[in-house]
């Protein structure tokens, strides 16, 4: 259903032995996914599990086994870093077959407008046997196209794949393309209780560009939290220093910033955040040069608590950037601290450094801090990845968002308080309305955007069902589990209440089912552990579809002579390792087969001619290091970067243009001519530079729009001069 996924996984188990067994099976699901149903079928009997408090479910399971009945238990493990569910079948009768159906739910993750994708992980399927997969698509927007894994059949809004498991070499994927509305909402009337309405709103706030945006510079506080523990020694600390250099040069002029190093202790560049000036920028550059992995352990909690304990200036919303290899001492406590303490108008971003980074930590603190994350694994990645992360942090935001629910209505909304939302980003709001008058054809959301108050009218689509209300509960449970201290009595009580009411397996609630047999099982049980590897980190279930998947997965028990516990382990498919593309600089050279003097002389002449032309013999990082905190470049920098004398750089400067504006245009032209393939990297730098040019030109009496046009003309003039020199 639009931004929700409901999956049914069917598996078949056979006990080929001559005695009863107990089967233990571990199902590892992607993050933000929860088991929402369990049904077992044995000899025509259909046994549906229900959710009870964990301790009670465990007791009933043990009592049922002791009484000779077959029992089923589904419970979430206590491993915070894994989304694991143990599935147990007790008193599995000899020479019997049991078919289990496991249902799970997950919300959609951020996707582009008009496209949603769903991937059923290959790791959840058997390597052998027949697989039958059906995916049904329900969308409030008109579906224009459906794309799916090779070999699938698309029939209307159904995607079907049938065949032998050995023929499947990748995840079963489905993508739907729709005529996306600006905003839309689904109101789901409960099948069992018509007075209960569940709502899912998909919201895309968008602010049009105004003239003021051409020179607007966000006024923010940037705190760079840098891992300097021993594990960062070597390449990781060098990557970090390079990333820091890029970040501090990208800051808007009207900012505050600080650099906080951490390990076993904390090392601040400044006692508190300072104004972004040329002097403070130079201090930061010197500090970065001296940074090393010399602070011992990895206690990220200490610097974060120090930052959160310092009151934030309301005029400078705080952005925290964590740069770490992720090997911290208390991952779960760190995530919980961010969840509890992040300010309403603050955000946390993270850059994971190195190949062994703890991705769960990086993802967890960014989810809790309402920010984004990226990973750097090689030197070639740094510039593109860092700039991408920084650009995402600069997007305009909407705040004070509120849904206009019907008056005199009992509303459970998730999130209960809508956080700040980035311009042009997608946001989903869930709600359950009890004893409410029917919602009409529209809902409205009010808020404050970059240009002031704004109201959105959301068109409503109505249908009947029982899915959305469970996503409201799932979202609330996730908030309670991540945002409260472990063992909090109030949080545990509410999680139990929600788990039982909406039939969801949580850390405190489990599914239990008992099949009372006419002939109770007797004898000693053999324990069979069916192991299942977790899906790879990049797999992320979600995405605006409802999926029904069935597969035959035979787990057959073979008795052992020594009476030891046997382990049935699913053999995992082998995947080819794909080589990742790497960026490399173009190198121009000539080689002589005989090493003759003529060839050497010709090379020298070519080098002399090249030195007389404008060009760039340095990397992007060096160009950025020469940029002033205002965004411009001075004459000496333009000369050094272009291999021209200052007189040559100024040769074509228009009289009405200041020297700084001209040299800045000149460097922008160099970037556009010599770094064409990496525009996605230096775009943020030239945007800052052009803003500086516009401000310079407005000093001469031009309005903002005219100054922007004139800046483009000056950059073109500089480009024409460079092209002329080249040819």
């Amino acid at each position: 259903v639009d931004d929700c996924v409901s999956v049914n996984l069917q598996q078949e188990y056979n006990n080929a032995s001559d005695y009863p067994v107990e089967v233990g099976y571990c199902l590892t699901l992607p993050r933000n996914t929860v088991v929402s149903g369990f049904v077992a079928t044995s000899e025509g009997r259909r046994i549906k599990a229900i959710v009870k408090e964990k301790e009670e479910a465990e007791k009933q399971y043990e009592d049922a086994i002791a009484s000779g009945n077959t029992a089923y238990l589904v419970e979430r493990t206590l491993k915070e870093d894994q989304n694991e569910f143990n599935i147990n079948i007790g008193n599995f009768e000899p020479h019997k077959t049991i078919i289990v159906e496991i249902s799970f739910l997950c919300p959609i993750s951020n996707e582009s407008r008009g496209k949603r994708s769903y991937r059923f992980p290959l790791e959840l399927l058997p390597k052998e046997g027949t697989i039958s997969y059906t995916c049904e698509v329900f969308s409030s927007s008109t579906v224009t196209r459906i794309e799916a894994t090779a070999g699938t059949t698309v029939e209307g809004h159904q995607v079907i794949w049938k065949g032998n498991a050995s023929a499947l070499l990748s995840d079963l994927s489905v993508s739907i393309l729709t005529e996306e509305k600006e905003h839309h909402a689904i109101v789901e009337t409960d099948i069992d209780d018509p007075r209960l309405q569940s709502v899912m709103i998909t919201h895309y706030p968008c602010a049009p560009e105004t003239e003021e945006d051409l020179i607007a510079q966000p006024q923010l506080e940037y705190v760079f939290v840098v891992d300097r523990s021993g594990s960062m020694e070597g390449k990781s600390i060098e990557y970090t220093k390079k990333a820091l250099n890029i970040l501090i040069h990208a800051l808007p002029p009207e900012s505050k910033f600080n650099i906080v190093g951490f390990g076993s202790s904390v090392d601040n560049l400044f006692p508190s955040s300072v104004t972004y000036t040329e002097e403070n920028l130079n201090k930061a550059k010197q500090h970065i040069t001296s940074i090393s992995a010399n602070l011992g352990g990895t206690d990220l909690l200490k610097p974060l608590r120090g930052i959160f304990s310092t009151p934030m200036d309301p005029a400078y919303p705080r952005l925290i950037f964590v740069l770490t290899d992720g090997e911290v001492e208390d991952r779960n406590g760190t995530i919980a601290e961010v969840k509890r303490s992040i300010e309403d108008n603050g955000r946390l971003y993270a850059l994971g450094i190195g190949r062994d980074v703890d991705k769960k930590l990086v993802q967890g603190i960014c989810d809790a801090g309402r920010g984004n994350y990226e990973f750097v694994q090689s030197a070639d990645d740094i510039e593109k990845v860092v700039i991408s992360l920084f650009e995402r942090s600069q997007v305009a935001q909407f705040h004070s968002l509120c849904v206009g629910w019907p008056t005199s209505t009992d509303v459970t909304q998730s999130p209960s308080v809508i956080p700040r939302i980035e311009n042009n980003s997608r946001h989903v709001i869930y709600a359950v309305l009890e004893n409410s008058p029917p919602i009409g054809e529209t809902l409205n959301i009010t808020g404050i955007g970059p240009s002031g108050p704004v109201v959105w009218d959301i068109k409503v689509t109505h249908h009947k069902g029982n899915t959305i209300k469970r996503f409201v509960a799932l979202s609330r449970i996730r908030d309670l589990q991540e945002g409260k201290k472990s063992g909090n009595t109030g949080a545990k009580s509410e999680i139990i209440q929600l788990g039982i009411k909406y039939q969801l397996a949580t850390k405190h609630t489990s599914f239990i089912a008992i099949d009372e047999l006419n002939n109770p099982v007797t004898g000693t049980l053999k324990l069979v552990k069916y192991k299942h590897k977790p899906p790879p980190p990049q797999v992320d279930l979600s995405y605006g579809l409802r999926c029904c998947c069935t597969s035959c997965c035979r787990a057959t028990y073979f008795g052992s002579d020594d009476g030891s516990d046997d382990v049935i382990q699913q053999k995992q498919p082998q995947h080819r390792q794909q080589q990742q593309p790497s960026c490399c600089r173009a190198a121009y050279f000539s080689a002589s087969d005989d090493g003759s003097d003529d060839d050497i002389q010709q090379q020298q002449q070519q080098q002399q001619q090249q030195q007389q032309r404008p060009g760039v013999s340095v990397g992007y990082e060096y160009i950025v290091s020469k940029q002033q905190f205002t965004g411009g470049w001075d004459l000496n920098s333009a000369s050094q970067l272009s291999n021209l004398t200052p007189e040559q750089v100024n040769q074509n400067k228009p009289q009405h243009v200041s020297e700084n504006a001209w040299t800045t245009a000149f460097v922008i032209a160099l970037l556009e001519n010599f770094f064409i393939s990496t525009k996605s990297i230096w775009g943020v730098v030239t945007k800052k530079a052009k803003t500086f040019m516009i401000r310079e030109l407005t000093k001469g009496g031009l309005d903002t729009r005219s100054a922007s046009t004139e800046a483009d003309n000056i950059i073109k003039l500089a480009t024409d001069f460079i092209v002329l020199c080249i040819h």
Side-chain angles (χ1 to χ4, degrees):
V1 179
D2 262 16
D3 300 315
C4 307
V5 177
S6 175
V7 180
N8 295 323
L9 175 65
Q10 186 180 95
Q11 297 175 322
E12 182 179 298
Y13 294 88
N14 297 310
N15 181 6
S17 69
D18 296 326
Y19 35 79
V21 299
E22 179 180 9
V23 176
Y25 168 55
C26 183
L27 180 70
T28 303
L29 298 176
R31 53 198 292 267
N32 294 336
T33 304
V34 65
V35 173
S36 57
F38 182 90
V39 176
T41 302
S42 177
E43 295 189 320
R45 300 187 305 278
R46 185 175 171 85
I47 306 97
K48 183 177 180 180
I50 60 173
V51 172
K52 294 191 176 183
E53 188 171 349
K54 189 171 187 175
E55 290 76 12
E56 181 183 353
E58 289 175 346
K59 183 178 184 304
Q60 289 189 7
Y61 177 79
E62 296 296 337
D63 289 347
I65 292 177
S67 301
N69 294 312
T70 300
Y72 306 86
L73 180 68
V74 182
E75 58 183 0
R76 192 183 189 281
T77 69
L78 297 179
K79 295 181 181 179
E80 295 291 345
D81 58 343
Q82 293 284 354
N83 193 26
E84 290 182 347
F85 295 85
N86 285 331
I87 299 170
N88 298 287
I89 304 175
N91 279 335
F92 190 168
E93 296 179 89
H95 304 292
K96 299 291 184 182
T97 297
I98 294 176
I99 297 174
V100 300
E101 295 178 32
I102 308 162
S103 302
F104 46 92
L105 300 172
C106 51
I108 194 170
S109 60
N110 289 337
E111 289 291 319
S112 60
R113 292 193 188 190
K115 184 174 182 179
R116 296 177 177 84
S117 300
Y118 167 72
R119 297 170 63 195
F120 189 89
L122 184 65
E123 287 75 12
L124 293 182
L125 298 173
K127 187 178 179 182
E128 298 177 351
T130 302
I131 294 176
S132 176
Y133 171 91
T134 302
C135 182
E136 297 181 44
V137 177
F138 299 89
S139 175
S140 61
S141 304
T142 302
V143 177
T144 58
R145 189 167 77 253
I146 296 179
E147 301 169 350
T149 301
T152 55
T153 302
V154 179
E155 299 178 357
H157 284 185
Q158 273 196 348
V159 179
I160 301 170
W161 194 96
K162 291 182 179 180
N164 194 287
S166 61
L168 196 61
L169 301 178
S170 62
D171 296 342
L172 285 163
S173 64
V174 177
S175 296
I176 62 171
L177 283 76
T178 64
E179 294 178 356
E180 190 64 65
K181 301 181 178 73
E182 283 300 306
H183 321 278
H184 58 273
I186 294 180
V187 174
E188 186 178 76
T189 302
D190 196 90
I191 295 175
D192 304 315
D193 183 0
R195 298 173 301 172
L196 189 67
Q197 299 176 91
S198 303
V199 184
M200 178 172 61
I201 301 173
T202 303
H203 185 213
Y204 294 99
C206 178
E209 185 181 80
T210 65
E211 187 170 305
E212 289 72 20
D213 293 332
L214 296 172
I215 59 172
Q217 294 285 321
Q219 191 170 276
L220 300 166
E221 177 192 4
Y222 298 86
V223 183
F224 301 105
V225 183
V226 183
D227 189 345
R228 292 173 52 187
S229 62
S231 65
M232 292 285 287
E233 184 68 44
K235 289 183 178 180
S236 291
I237 199 68
E238 294 306 316
Y239 293 167
T240 300
K241 291 164 72 171
K242 190 172 183 179
L244 265 178
N245 266 314
I246 295 172
L247 287 167
I248 63 169
H249 280 93
L251 300 184
E254 298 177 2
S255 308
K256 291 183 178 180
F257 79 107
N258 200 0
I259 298 175
V260 179
F262 74 93
S264 299
S265 58
V266 177
D267 179 29
N268 290 355
L269 171 58
F270 304 107
S272 60
S273 294
V274 298
T275 304
Y276 186 58
T277 63
E278 196 71 39
E279 179 184 359
N280 288 332
L281 173 60
N282 289 331
K283 288 181 181 179
K285 290 161 67 174
Q286 293 173 5
H287 176 73
I288 292 170
T289 303
S290 66
I291 283 177
S292 61
N294 62 348
L295 294 184
T298 316
D299 185 359
L300 179 55
L301 266 175
K302 189 181 295 181
L304 287 177
R305 283 173 175 162
I307 294 166
F308 292 137
S309 66
T310 304
M312 183 177 66
D313 185 342
Y316 289 83
R318 180 179 288 157
L319 302 186
I320 301 171
F321 285 79
V322 176
L323 293 80
T324 180
D325 64 359
E327 298 179 10
V328 302
E329 296 171 0
D330 185 0
R331 176 206 291 161
N332 298 327
T334 302
I335 294 172
E337 180 67 32
V338 174
K339 183 77 172 180
R340 279 193 299 269
S341 305
I342 194 75
E343 298 89 347
D344 179 53
N345 57 346
R347 284 169 289 157
L348 185 146
Y349 297 81
L351 187 68
I353 308 289
R355 296 185 180 277
D356 298 323
V357 63
D358 183 348
K359 293 186 176 181
K360 291 184 181 297
L361 169 79
V362 172
Q363 294 168 348
I365 59 177
C366 290
D367 286 346
R370 301 189 301 273
N372 304 110
Y373 56 85
E374 294 281 0
F375 297 102
V376 170
Q377 296 186 349
S378 71
D380 293 331
D381 296 338
I382 294 177
E383 294 167 352
K384 183 176 181 179
V385 168
V386 171
I387 289 300
S388 171
L389 184 64
F390 184 79
E391 283 185 320
R392 293 167 77 178
S393 74
Q394 300 304 290
V395 177
Q397 292 188 324
F398 294 84
H399 62 93
S400 304
L401 299 172
C402 182
V403 181
W405 301 116
T407 56
S408 303
T409 299
D410 185 7
V411 180
T412 302
Q413 177 184 294
S414 181
S416 55
V417 177
I418 304 173
R420 287 180 170 242
I421 303 174
E422 295 177 356
N423 188 34
N424 278 319
S425 67
R426 175 188 156 280
H427 184 66
V428 179
I429 303 166
Y430 299 102
V432 171
L433 285 67
E434 299 185 59
N435 301 314
S436 168
I439 294 175
E441 298 303 313
T442 61
L443 282 168
N444 69 74
I445 297 179
T446 59
I448 299 176
S451 302
V454 62
V455 178
W456 296 274
D457 290 322
I458 314 294
K459 188 174 181 180
V460 171
T461 301
H462 292 266
H463 77 212
K464 293 184 178 181
N466 288 320
T467 300
I468 295 176
K469 66 180 182 181
R470 304 178 82 185
F471 277 92
V472 181
L474 174 59
S475 180
R476 176 60 182 160
I477 289 170
R478 189 167 59 246
D479 288 343
L480 289 166
Q481 290 181 158
E482 294 177 355
K484 302 284 186 181
K485 290 183 178 179
S486 178
N488 183 297
T489 306
K492 179 179 178 181
S493 176
E494 188 174 349
I495 290 172
I496 292 172
Q497 181 182 0
L498 290 168
I500 293 174
K501 181 176 181 179
Y502 294 102
Q503 293 294 287
L504 300 171
T506 71
K507 62 195 299 185
H508 301 301
T509 57
S510 305
F511 278 96
I512 176 68
I514 298 172
D515 185 9
E516 296 184 356
L517 305 177
N518 293 326
N519 298 306
V521 175
T522 58
T524 303
L525 292 180
K526 298 280 187 178
L527 177 63
V528 180
K529 296 178 181 178
Y530 179 77
K531 293 185 178 179
H532 201 296
K533 290 185 178 180
Q538 68 269 23
V539 174
D540 188 11
L541 286 179
S542 54
Y543 315 100
L545 306 171
R546 180 182 176 188
C547 174
C548 175
C549 175
T550 62
S551 65
C552 295
C553 179
R554 298 182 180 275
T556 305
Y557 175 76
F558 299 93
S560 59
D561 295 333
D562 60 2
S564 62
D565 291 344
D566 281 32
V567 175
I568 301 177
Q569 178 151 3
Q570 186 183 32
K571 195 172 181 180
Q572 297 299 313
Q574 299 295 319
H575 298 281
R576 295 180 180 177
Q577 292 185 349
Q578 296 182 350
Q579 292 185 347
Q580 298 297 322
S582 61
C583 301
C584 61
R585 300 185 185 281
Y588 296 92
F589 63 93
S590 60
S592 171
D593 294 334
D594 57 4
S596 64
D597 292 340
D598 289 342
D599 287 330
I600 295 174
Q601 185 177 2
Q602 184 179 3
Q603 291 177 28
Q604 292 174 345
Q605 290 174 353
Q606 290 174 350
Q607 290 173 0
Q608 291 173 359
Q609 292 172 1
Q610 185 67 26
Q611 288 174 357
Q612 296 170 3
R613 299 178 180 180
V616 177
S617 57
V618 295
Y620 167 83
E621 186 182 2
Y622 183 77
I623 295 175
V624 171
S625 71
K626 292 296 182 180
Q627 189 178 27
Q628 298 171 328
F629 88 100
T630 57
W633 285 272
D634 61 21
L635 181 59
N636 287 334
S637 296
S639 173
Q640 293 174 17
L641 297 174
S642 65
N643 293 330
L644 295 175
T645 66
E647 291 75 19
Q648 288 174 314
V649 171
N650 268 339
Q651 183 176 325
N652 274 26
K653 184 184 81 68
Q655 291 185 354
H656 70 283
V657 178
S658 69
E659 183 174 273
N660 276 353
W662 169 251
T663 53
T664 299
F666 198 88
V667 176
I668 292 174
L670 286 173
L671 285 167
E672 291 180 345
N673 280 277
F674 291 93
F675 289 85
I676 298 174
S677 63
T678 56
K679 186 174 182 178
S680 60
I681 298 175
W682 49 258
V684 67
V685 172
T686 55
K687 181 179 179 181
K688 180 178 177 180
K690 185 180 175 183
T691 300
F692 165 75
M693 288 182 63
I694 294 172
R695 290 188 170 187
E696 284 288 296
L697 292 168
T698 54
K699 294 177 182 178
L702 293 177
D703 61 58
T704 304
R705 185 68 64 179
S706 299
S708 176
T709 302
E710 181 65 7
D712 290 334
N713 292 335
I714 297 170
I715 295 170
K716 185 178 185 306
L717 183 64
T719 300
D720 292 342
F721 172 65
I722 291 172
V723 171
L724 181 64
C725 290
I726 291 174
H727 296 289

